[in-house]
Amino acid sequence: MNLHEFQAKQLFNRYGVPTPQGQAVTDAAEARQAAELLTGERWVVKAQVHTGGRGKAGGVKVVDSVDAVEEAAQGMLGQRLVTHQTTAEGLPVNQVLVEKPTDIQREIYLAVLLDRSSQRIVFMISAQGGMDIEAVAEEEPEAILNLYVDPVVGLQSYQCRRAGFFLGLTGAAFKQLQQVMQNLYQLFTENDASLVEVNPLVVTGEGDLLAVDAKVNLDDNGLFRHADLAEMFDPSQEDDAEVIAREFGLNYISLDGNVACMVNGAGLAMATMDLIQKEGGEPANFLDVGGGTTAERVAEAFKLILSDKKVKSILVNIFGGIVRCDLIAEGIIQAAREVELSLPAKEVELALPVVVRLEGTNAAIGRELLANSQMSIYAAQDLTDAARKAVAAARESNA
């Protein structure tokens, strides 16, 4: 789960990481009031969306009057911001952050993340803050320092000093870096984060460190321990279908193709998508219904697929180990009836061609249920045959 910048900064402040003074607002009049309360002669207005590259896309504006603050907020709120990290539709701007500007002398990149290959929390540090870290990593890998933290002893003081020397910090900033790193490490571990990023962490004109930007990603699997953080979830920043999938415990990611997949198991789902591409098609989604699914969850999964207007065919690929194939079949039938898919009695064809491959526990019963459901479904002998039939059906639907 991602947090907005203003939410991440609230968390930073809770852990003693300094950030600029600011206030998140939902309308232009509130933005004006926030600027007046902050006082000063200049302000920064930032669109609150779950994407990077806001500045280049017009989502960050520096203005020099309260009228301009109100105007900038009015221009952002209610609009959709398109960046290089979003789709062409962009993301809705429902809140803006009004802040005091910072006297920036230096910009530093600092991130804490989980490195699965080493099974360690790692600090990524670079003197080239404010830039795309991906470009820095590719063009100048020596400009990035990686510090791996032993989970037994935690972040050590010598590692923080090494980071300070690497960055060439002196005076108060050198001393403050150790506290900032220790506080971010504590924030990361205590809140089950998967990424904490400060880009940039700046050295101000007074020689102090300040987190001008803040990004926090949380591990969904740990949210049950953090009810206060779970309440910060903003569904407007997510794909509608993915939000619904989350409610029913489904793993769903929308893609750009036209062959929909419903599979049990992430590995099998990825293999299914690979075979669809091998046969010349493009998958429309990643959808894992899980091992301990029910007919109701399968029905919801099927309805999610049908809500995607790009979909031209559906491939259901179930290997019954923990999950029973007859439950999957019941779910498909239930979904078909709920969304009023075709029945021969109505002399209407299925809205979308469906290819089903069932193997494993109660597979024969599942196939029998589908055969007796009076629905037009293509049976597949194996996975390759299923992918080939689903791709061919999608092509015929486009013709």
Side-chain angles (χ1 to χ4, degrees), residues 183-235:
N183 292 348
L184 288 178
Y185 180 72
Q186 184 180 3
L187 183 158
F188 188 95
T189 55
E190 290 185 357
N191 294 280
D192 293 302
S194 56
L195 170 69
V196 174
E197 182 181 71
V198 189
N199 188 24
L201 174 69
V202 306
V203 181
T204 69
E206 293 76 29
D208 297 317
L209 292 182
L210 194 67
V212 172
D213 197 9
K215 180 178 182 180
V216 174
N217 295 351
L218 303 172
D219 186 343
D220 289 345
N221 295 314
L223 283 177
F224 72 95
R225 289 190 284 262
H226 310 286
D228 57 330
L229 298 178
E231 291 178 357
M232 294 182 180
F233 175 65
D234 185 355

Short mmCIF file of all heavy atoms in Angstrom, two decimals, residues 183-235:
data_model
loop_
_atom_site.label_atom_id
_atom_site.label_comp_id
_atom_site.label_asym_id
_atom_site.label_seq_id
_atom_site.Cartn_x
_atom_site.Cartn_y
_atom_site.Cartn_z
N ASN A 183 16.38 6.82 12.62
CA ASN A 183 14.94 7.02 12.73
C ASN A 183 14.20 6.38 11.56
O ASN A 183 13.12 5.80 11.73
CB ASN A 183 14.63 8.52 12.79
CG ASN A 183 15.10 9.16 14.08
OD1 ASN A 183 15.47 8.46 15.02
ND2 ASN A 183 15.10 10.48 14.13
N LEU A 184 14.76 6.49 10.36
CA LEU A 184 14.11 5.88 9.19
C LEU A 184 14.15 4.35 9.28
O LEU A 184 13.21 3.67 8.86
CB LEU A 184 14.80 6.34 7.90
CG LEU A 184 14.55 7.80 7.50
CD1 LEU A 184 15.32 8.14 6.23
CD2 LEU A 184 13.06 8.06 7.28
N TYR A 185 15.24 3.82 9.82
CA TYR A 185 15.32 2.37 10.01
C TYR A 185 14.26 1.90 10.99
O TYR A 185 13.60 0.87 10.77
CB TYR A 185 16.72 1.99 10.52
CG TYR A 185 16.91 0.51 10.75
CD1 TYR A 185 17.00 -0.37 9.68
CD2 TYR A 185 16.98 -0.01 12.04
CE1 TYR A 185 17.17 -1.74 9.88
CE2 TYR A 185 17.15 -1.37 12.25
CZ TYR A 185 17.24 -2.23 11.17
OH TYR A 185 17.40 -3.58 11.38
N GLN A 186 14.07 2.65 12.07
CA GLN A 186 13.04 2.30 13.05
C GLN A 186 11.65 2.41 12.43
O GLN A 186 10.80 1.54 12.63
CB GLN A 186 13.14 3.24 14.26
CG GLN A 186 12.16 2.90 15.39
CD GLN A 186 12.28 3.85 16.57
OE1 GLN A 186 13.05 4.80 16.54
NE2 GLN A 186 11.51 3.59 17.61
N LEU A 187 11.43 3.46 11.65
CA LEU A 187 10.14 3.62 10.95
C LEU A 187 9.89 2.43 10.02
O LEU A 187 8.79 1.87 9.99
CB LEU A 187 10.16 4.93 10.15
CG LEU A 187 8.91 5.37 9.39
CD1 LEU A 187 8.95 6.88 9.14
CD2 LEU A 187 8.73 4.65 8.06
N PHE A 188 10.92 2.05 9.28
CA PHE A 188 10.80 0.96 8.30
C PHE A 188 10.41 -0.35 8.98
O PHE A 188 9.49 -1.04 8.56
CB PHE A 188 12.13 0.81 7.56
CG PHE A 188 12.10 -0.15 6.41
CD1 PHE A 188 11.88 0.30 5.11
CD2 PHE A 188 12.29 -1.51 6.60
CE1 PHE A 188 11.85 -0.57 4.04
CE2 PHE A 188 12.27 -2.40 5.54
CZ PHE A 188 12.04 -1.93 4.25
N THR A 189 11.12 -0.69 10.04
CA THR A 189 10.91 -1.99 10.68
C THR A 189 9.62 -2.03 11.50
O THR A 189 8.92 -3.05 11.51
CB THR A 189 12.10 -2.36 11.58
OG1 THR A 189 12.32 -1.30 12.52
CG2 THR A 189 13.35 -2.55 10.75
N GLU A 190 9.30 -0.96 12.21
CA GLU A 190 8.13 -0.97 13.08
C GLU A 190 6.81 -0.89 12.32
O GLU A 190 5.76 -1.26 12.86
CB GLU A 190 8.21 0.19 14.08
CG GLU A 190 9.31 0.01 15.13
CD GLU A 190 9.30 1.11 16.17
OE1 GLU A 190 8.47 2.06 16.04
OE2 GLU A 190 10.11 1.04 17.12
N ASN A 191 6.84 -0.41 11.06
CA ASN A 191 5.60 -0.24 10.31
C ASN A 191 5.48 -1.20 9.12
O ASN A 191 4.62 -1.02 8.27
CB ASN A 191 5.50 1.20 9.81
CG ASN A 191 5.35 2.18 10.96
OD1 ASN A 191 4.27 2.37 11.50
ND2 ASN A 191 6.46 2.81 11.35
N ASP A 192 6.35 -2.22 9.08
CA ASP A 192 6.30 -3.22 8.00
C ASP A 192 6.33 -2.55 6.63
O ASP A 192 5.52 -2.86 5.75
CB ASP A 192 5.06 -4.10 8.13
CG ASP A 192 5.09 -4.97 9.37
OD1 ASP A 192 6.04 -5.76 9.50
OD2 ASP A 192 4.18 -4.86 10.22
N ALA A 193 7.28 -1.65 6.45
CA ALA A 193 7.41 -0.96 5.16
C ALA A 193 8.17 -1.84 4.18
O ALA A 193 8.94 -2.73 4.56
CB ALA A 193 8.12 0.37 5.35
N SER A 194 7.95 -1.58 2.91
CA SER A 194 8.74 -2.24 1.87
C SER A 194 9.66 -1.24 1.18
O SER A 194 10.63 -1.62 0.54
CB SER A 194 7.83 -2.90 0.83
OG SER A 194 6.93 -1.96 0.27
N LEU A 195 9.35 0.06 1.32
CA LEU A 195 10.20 1.11 0.76
C LEU A 195 9.96 2.40 1.53
O LEU A 195 8.81 2.79 1.77
CB LEU A 195 9.90 1.34 -0.72
CG LEU A 195 10.54 2.58 -1.37
CD1 LEU A 195 12.05 2.39 -1.48
CD2 LEU A 195 9.94 2.85 -2.74
N VAL A 196 11.04 3.06 1.91
CA VAL A 196 11.00 4.43 2.44
C VAL A 196 12.03 5.21 1.63
O VAL A 196 13.21 4.86 1.61
CB VAL A 196 11.34 4.49 3.94
CG1 VAL A 196 11.43 5.94 4.40
CG2 VAL A 196 10.31 3.74 4.76
N GLU A 197 11.57 6.25 0.94
CA GLU A 197 12.45 7.00 0.04
C GLU A 197 12.36 8.49 0.33
O GLU A 197 11.26 9.02 0.48
CB GLU A 197 12.08 6.72 -1.41
CG GLU A 197 12.96 7.42 -2.43
CD GLU A 197 12.53 7.13 -3.85
OE1 GLU A 197 11.45 7.66 -4.26
OE2 GLU A 197 13.23 6.40 -4.56
N VAL A 198 13.52 9.14 0.41
CA VAL A 198 13.59 10.60 0.56
C VAL A 198 14.38 11.13 -0.62
O VAL A 198 15.59 10.93 -0.71
CB VAL A 198 14.27 11.00 1.88
CG1 VAL A 198 14.12 12.51 2.11
CG2 VAL A 198 13.71 10.23 3.06
N ASN A 199 13.70 11.81 -1.53
CA ASN A 199 14.36 12.32 -2.73
C ASN A 199 13.75 13.66 -3.14
O ASN A 199 12.73 13.68 -3.81
CB ASN A 199 14.25 11.32 -3.87
CG ASN A 199 15.11 11.73 -5.07
OD1 ASN A 199 16.08 12.47 -4.92
ND2 ASN A 199 14.73 11.27 -6.25
N PRO A 200 14.37 14.77 -2.66
CA PRO A 200 15.67 14.79 -2.02
C PRO A 200 15.60 14.98 -0.51
O PRO A 200 14.66 15.54 0.02
CB PRO A 200 16.32 16.01 -2.66
CG PRO A 200 15.16 16.96 -2.85
CD PRO A 200 13.97 16.09 -3.17
N LEU A 201 16.65 14.49 0.15
CA LEU A 201 17.00 14.90 1.51
C LEU A 201 17.99 16.04 1.32
O LEU A 201 19.02 15.85 0.67
CB LEU A 201 17.64 13.75 2.27
CG LEU A 201 18.20 14.06 3.66
CD1 LEU A 201 17.07 14.35 4.64
CD2 LEU A 201 19.05 12.90 4.18
N VAL A 202 17.68 17.22 1.82
CA VAL A 202 18.49 18.38 1.47
C VAL A 202 19.29 18.90 2.66
O VAL A 202 18.92 18.69 3.82
CB VAL A 202 17.62 19.53 0.91
CG1 VAL A 202 16.76 19.04 -0.25
CG2 VAL A 202 16.76 20.17 1.99
N VAL A 203 20.40 19.54 2.32
CA VAL A 203 21.14 20.34 3.29
C VAL A 203 20.69 21.78 3.09
O VAL A 203 20.80 22.34 1.99
CB VAL A 203 22.66 20.24 3.07
CG1 VAL A 203 23.40 21.07 4.11
CG2 VAL A 203 23.11 18.79 3.13
N THR A 204 20.12 22.38 4.12
CA THR A 204 19.58 23.74 4.02
C THR A 204 20.69 24.78 4.13
O THR A 204 21.85 24.45 4.40
CB THR A 204 18.55 23.99 5.13
OG1 THR A 204 19.22 24.03 6.40
CG2 THR A 204 17.50 22.89 5.16
N GLY A 205 20.29 26.03 3.93
CA GLY A 205 21.25 27.11 4.04
C GLY A 205 21.84 27.22 5.42
O GLY A 205 22.96 27.74 5.60
N GLU A 206 21.12 26.74 6.45
CA GLU A 206 21.63 26.74 7.82
C GLU A 206 22.48 25.53 8.13
O GLU A 206 22.98 25.37 9.25
CB GLU A 206 20.46 26.80 8.81
CG GLU A 206 19.68 28.11 8.81
CD GLU A 206 18.75 28.22 7.60
OE1 GLU A 206 18.30 27.15 7.11
OE2 GLU A 206 18.50 29.34 7.15
N GLY A 207 22.64 24.63 7.13
CA GLY A 207 23.48 23.45 7.33
C GLY A 207 22.77 22.27 7.96
O GLY A 207 23.42 21.32 8.41
N ASP A 208 21.43 22.30 8.01
CA ASP A 208 20.66 21.21 8.59
C ASP A 208 20.08 20.31 7.51
O ASP A 208 19.93 20.71 6.34
CB ASP A 208 19.50 21.77 9.43
CG ASP A 208 20.00 22.59 10.62
OD1 ASP A 208 20.96 22.13 11.27
OD2 ASP A 208 19.44 23.67 10.87
N LEU A 209 19.72 19.07 7.90
CA LEU A 209 19.09 18.13 6.98
C LEU A 209 17.57 18.28 7.07
O LEU A 209 17.00 18.44 8.15
CB LEU A 209 19.48 16.70 7.33
CG LEU A 209 20.94 16.31 7.10
CD1 LEU A 209 21.14 14.83 7.43
CD2 LEU A 209 21.37 16.58 5.66
N LEU A 210 16.90 18.16 5.91
CA LEU A 210 15.45 18.30 5.85
C LEU A 210 14.93 17.38 4.75
O LEU A 210 15.45 17.39 3.62
CB LEU A 210 15.06 19.75 5.56
CG LEU A 210 13.61 20.15 5.77
CD1 LEU A 210 13.23 20.08 7.26
CD2 LEU A 210 13.37 21.56 5.23
N ALA A 211 13.90 16.60 5.06
CA ALA A 211 13.28 15.71 4.06
C ALA A 211 12.25 16.50 3.28
O ALA A 211 11.12 16.69 3.72
CB ALA A 211 12.64 14.52 4.75
N VAL A 212 12.64 16.98 2.10
CA VAL A 212 11.74 17.81 1.29
C VAL A 212 10.66 16.97 0.63
O VAL A 212 9.55 17.44 0.40
CB VAL A 212 12.56 18.60 0.24
CG1 VAL A 212 11.66 19.32 -0.73
CG2 VAL A 212 13.47 19.59 0.94
N ASP A 213 10.97 15.73 0.31
CA ASP A 213 9.98 14.82 -0.26
C ASP A 213 9.97 13.54 0.58
O ASP A 213 10.93 13.26 1.31
CB ASP A 213 10.29 14.50 -1.71
CG ASP A 213 9.10 13.90 -2.46
OD1 ASP A 213 7.99 13.88 -1.89
OD2 ASP A 213 9.28 13.45 -3.60
N ALA A 214 8.91 12.78 0.48
CA ALA A 214 8.80 11.55 1.27
C ALA A 214 7.92 10.55 0.54
O ALA A 214 6.84 10.90 0.07
CB ALA A 214 8.22 11.84 2.66
N LYS A 215 8.41 9.33 0.47
CA LYS A 215 7.64 8.25 -0.16
C LYS A 215 7.71 7.03 0.75
O LYS A 215 8.81 6.62 1.15
CB LYS A 215 8.21 7.92 -1.54
CG LYS A 215 7.47 6.80 -2.27
CD LYS A 215 8.07 6.58 -3.66
CE LYS A 215 7.33 5.50 -4.41
NZ LYS A 215 7.90 5.26 -5.77
N VAL A 216 6.54 6.45 1.05
CA VAL A 216 6.48 5.26 1.89
C VAL A 216 5.56 4.24 1.24
O VAL A 216 4.41 4.55 0.92
CB VAL A 216 5.99 5.58 3.32
CG1 VAL A 216 5.79 4.30 4.12
CG2 VAL A 216 6.96 6.51 4.03
N ASN A 217 6.07 3.04 1.03
CA ASN A 217 5.27 1.90 0.59
C ASN A 217 5.22 0.89 1.73
O ASN A 217 6.26 0.56 2.31
CB ASN A 217 5.86 1.23 -0.65
CG ASN A 217 5.84 2.15 -1.87
OD1 ASN A 217 5.23 3.21 -1.83
ND2 ASN A 217 6.51 1.74 -2.92
N LEU A 218 4.02 0.39 2.03
CA LEU A 218 3.83 -0.55 3.12
C LEU A 218 3.54 -1.94 2.58
O LEU A 218 2.89 -2.09 1.54
CB LEU A 218 2.68 -0.09 4.02
CG LEU A 218 2.82 1.31 4.62
CD1 LEU A 218 1.54 1.70 5.33
CD2 LEU A 218 4.01 1.38 5.57
N ASP A 219 3.99 -2.96 3.30
CA ASP A 219 3.71 -4.35 2.93
C ASP A 219 2.26 -4.66 3.30
O ASP A 219 1.87 -4.59 4.46
CB ASP A 219 4.66 -5.27 3.68
CG ASP A 219 4.53 -6.73 3.26
OD1 ASP A 219 3.51 -7.09 2.63
OD2 ASP A 219 5.44 -7.52 3.56
N ASP A 220 1.45 -4.99 2.29
CA ASP A 220 0.03 -5.30 2.53
C ASP A 220 -0.14 -6.41 3.56
O ASP A 220 -1.11 -6.41 4.33
CB ASP A 220 -0.65 -5.70 1.23
CG ASP A 220 -0.82 -4.53 0.27
OD1 ASP A 220 -0.67 -3.38 0.73
OD2 ASP A 220 -1.10 -4.75 -0.91
N ASN A 221 0.80 -7.36 3.58
CA ASN A 221 0.67 -8.49 4.48
C ASN A 221 0.83 -8.10 5.95
O ASN A 221 0.47 -8.88 6.84
CB ASN A 221 1.71 -9.57 4.12
CG ASN A 221 1.47 -10.16 2.76
OD1 ASN A 221 0.35 -10.50 2.41
ND2 ASN A 221 2.51 -10.27 1.95
N GLY A 222 1.38 -6.91 6.21
CA GLY A 222 1.57 -6.48 7.58
C GLY A 222 0.55 -5.45 8.05
O GLY A 222 0.60 -5.00 9.20
N LEU A 223 -0.39 -5.08 7.18
CA LEU A 223 -1.32 -4.01 7.52
C LEU A 223 -2.26 -4.39 8.67
O LEU A 223 -2.77 -3.50 9.35
CB LEU A 223 -2.14 -3.62 6.29
CG LEU A 223 -1.42 -2.75 5.26
CD1 LEU A 223 -2.32 -2.50 4.06
CD2 LEU A 223 -0.98 -1.43 5.87
N PHE A 224 -2.48 -5.68 8.89
CA PHE A 224 -3.37 -6.07 9.98
C PHE A 224 -2.80 -5.64 11.33
O PHE A 224 -3.55 -5.53 12.31
CB PHE A 224 -3.61 -7.59 9.97
CG PHE A 224 -2.42 -8.41 10.40
CD1 PHE A 224 -2.28 -8.83 11.72
CD2 PHE A 224 -1.44 -8.76 9.48
CE1 PHE A 224 -1.19 -9.58 12.12
CE2 PHE A 224 -0.34 -9.52 9.87
CZ PHE A 224 -0.22 -9.93 11.20
N ARG A 225 -1.52 -5.35 11.37
CA ARG A 225 -0.89 -4.88 12.61
C ARG A 225 -0.93 -3.35 12.74
O ARG A 225 -0.54 -2.81 13.77
CB ARG A 225 0.58 -5.33 12.67
CG ARG A 225 0.76 -6.81 12.91
CD ARG A 225 2.21 -7.14 13.21
NE ARG A 225 3.02 -7.11 12.00
CZ ARG A 225 3.36 -8.20 11.31
NH1 ARG A 225 2.93 -9.38 11.70
NH2 ARG A 225 4.11 -8.10 10.23
N HIS A 226 -1.39 -2.66 11.68
CA HIS A 226 -1.32 -1.20 11.67
C HIS A 226 -2.65 -0.63 11.16
O HIS A 226 -2.73 -0.12 10.04
CB HIS A 226 -0.17 -0.74 10.78
CG HIS A 226 1.14 -1.42 11.07
ND1 HIS A 226 1.89 -1.11 12.19
CD2 HIS A 226 1.80 -2.40 10.41
CE1 HIS A 226 2.99 -1.88 12.19
NE2 HIS A 226 2.94 -2.66 11.13
N ALA A 227 -3.65 -0.69 12.00
CA ALA A 227 -4.97 -0.22 11.61
C ALA A 227 -4.97 1.26 11.24
O ALA A 227 -5.67 1.69 10.31
CB ALA A 227 -5.98 -0.48 12.73
N ASP A 228 -4.15 2.06 11.94
CA ASP A 228 -4.11 3.49 11.65
C ASP A 228 -3.54 3.76 10.27
O ASP A 228 -4.00 4.67 9.56
CB ASP A 228 -3.28 4.22 12.72
CG ASP A 228 -1.86 3.68 12.83
OD1 ASP A 228 -1.65 2.48 12.55
OD2 ASP A 228 -0.95 4.46 13.20
N LEU A 229 -2.56 2.98 9.85
CA LEU A 229 -1.98 3.15 8.52
C LEU A 229 -2.91 2.60 7.44
O LEU A 229 -3.01 3.18 6.35
CB LEU A 229 -0.62 2.46 8.44
CG LEU A 229 0.46 2.99 9.38
CD1 LEU A 229 1.75 2.18 9.23
CD2 LEU A 229 0.73 4.47 9.13
N ALA A 230 -3.58 1.50 7.73
CA ALA A 230 -4.52 0.93 6.76
C ALA A 230 -5.62 1.91 6.40
O ALA A 230 -6.12 1.93 5.27
CB ALA A 230 -5.11 -0.37 7.31
N GLU A 231 -6.00 2.77 7.36
CA GLU A 231 -7.04 3.76 7.10
C GLU A 231 -6.59 4.84 6.14
O GLU A 231 -7.42 5.58 5.60
CB GLU A 231 -7.48 4.40 8.43
CG GLU A 231 -8.24 3.45 9.35
CD GLU A 231 -8.61 4.10 10.67
OE1 GLU A 231 -8.22 5.28 10.88
OE2 GLU A 231 -9.30 3.45 11.48
N MET A 232 -5.29 4.93 5.88
CA MET A 232 -4.77 5.93 4.95
C MET A 232 -4.90 5.49 3.49
O MET A 232 -4.57 6.26 2.59
CB MET A 232 -3.29 6.22 5.26
CG MET A 232 -3.06 6.88 6.59
SD MET A 232 -1.29 7.22 6.84
CE MET A 232 -1.31 7.99 8.46
N PHE A 233 -5.37 4.29 3.26
CA PHE A 233 -5.50 3.78 1.89
C PHE A 233 -6.42 4.68 1.08
O PHE A 233 -7.52 5.02 1.51
CB PHE A 233 -6.05 2.35 1.91
CG PHE A 233 -6.33 1.79 0.54
CD1 PHE A 233 -5.30 1.56 -0.36
CD2 PHE A 233 -7.63 1.50 0.15
CE1 PHE A 233 -5.55 1.04 -1.61
CE2 PHE A 233 -7.89 0.97 -1.11
CZ PHE A 233 -6.85 0.75 -1.99
N ASP A 234 -5.97 5.07 -0.10
CA ASP A 234 -6.75 5.94 -0.99
C ASP A 234 -7.13 5.15 -2.24
O ASP A 234 -6.33 5.02 -3.17
CB ASP A 234 -5.92 7.17 -1.38
CG ASP A 234 -6.72 8.16 -2.21
OD1 ASP A 234 -7.88 7.85 -2.57
OD2 ASP A 234 -6.18 9.24 -2.51
N PRO A 235 -8.36 4.64 -2.30
CA PRO A 235 -8.77 3.82 -3.45
C PRO A 235 -8.82 4.59 -4.76
O PRO A 235 -8.76 3.99 -5.83
CB PRO A 235 -10.16 3.31 -3.04
CG PRO A 235 -10.65 4.28 -2.02
CD PRO A 235 -9.43 4.75 -1.30
#
